[in-house]
Amino acid sequence: AYRNIIALQMQGSEDNDWVKLQFSKLTSLTLLEPSKVSRILENMYNAGMTAEIETVIKKLYEVNSKDIAANELMAVYFRNISNIEMELQFREDLRELDPVNYQLELSLARNYSAKKDIIKLRESVARIKSIAPESEEAKVAEQLLKDASVVNP
């Protein structure tokens, strides 16, 4: 069932029912592996299975709260439902699990910029520049800081 869901290129409404049927055949063991869950989420979303997505991601996190992928799925889930506070909380928790991930730090910088938290934005930009000074993420973060400084001198 797992392979069927990840292989499907959804094209019509009949595919929605098919994904739902295949999902019902998945074992709880499959749904507790972050890498497998992340591969089926797009088709679940396209099939309108938002309640199931929420349930699966929250259960996955409950069982794997120290897993980087489970935390990332929770952060993305909260971003997708426009809950920036919870997204930020999960991304800050992720920083503790993966302190040298400058892509994650850029996500935090974007959150701080959106919240107009200039102090934390500066700290986040400094972290990115210390981890990967020549990266594209460092350039983007620096621009976020410049833009925020123009708005909030």
Side-chain angles (χ1 to χ4, degrees):
Y2 167 74
R3 287 188 185 135
N4 290 336
I5 294 174
I6 64 170
L8 178 66
Q9 297 293 320
M10 293 186 68
Q11 296 177 350
S13 59
E14 65 278 354
D15 291 337
N16 294 349
D17 292 334
W18 192 84
V19 168
K20 290 174 184 175
L21 175 65
Q22 296 304 312
F23 177 78
S24 71
K25 296 177 184 178
L26 293 175
T27 66
S28 59
L29 190 59
T30 298
L31 296 174
L32 293 178
E33 280 190 54
S35 63
K36 288 186 176 181
V37 169
S38 66
R39 294 190 68 198
I40 64 173
L41 287 177
E42 182 178 353
N43 280 345
M44 288 177 67
Y45 178 79
N46 290 336
M49 300 174 67
T50 53
E52 292 88 345
I53 289 171
E54 179 180 3
T55 301
V56 167
I57 290 174
K58 286 182 176 180
K59 179 66 174 174
L60 180 66
Y61 175 76
E62 183 181 305
V63 173
N64 300 294
S65 64
K66 298 297 181 193
D67 183 87
I68 291 171
N71 276 271
E72 177 64 23
L73 288 171
M74 286 296 289
V76 170
Y77 167 74
F78 283 112
R79 181 185 64 216
N80 288 341
I81 64 169
S82 300
N83 187 334
I84 193 169
E85 292 297 324
M86 289 302 294
E87 177 191 1
L88 188 56
Q89 179 182 329
F90 277 95
R91 293 210 184 278
E92 288 173 342
D93 290 347
L94 267 167
R95 181 195 288 148
E96 292 178 25
L97 297 172
D98 193 5
V100 294
N101 184 335
Y102 56 92
Q103 292 95 353
L104 165 64
E105 198 63 50
L106 180 59
S107 294
L108 282 164
R110 285 186 171 122
N111 282 69
Y112 297 139
S113 176
K115 286 185 62 172
K116 313 264 188 272
D117 189 334
I118 303 304
I119 294 170
K120 286 189 176 182
L121 175 58
R122 281 190 183 116
E123 292 170 358
S124 193
V125 171
R127 270 192 209 92
I128 294 169
K129 289 168 72 176
S130 73
I131 298 167
E134 302 300 320
S135 68
E136 185 63 31
E137 287 81 358
K139 294 173 189 166
V140 170
E142 192 66 44
Q143 188 61 50
L144 285 171
L145 186 56
K146 284 179 188 174
D147 294 346
S149 297
V150 169
V151 175
N152 300 306

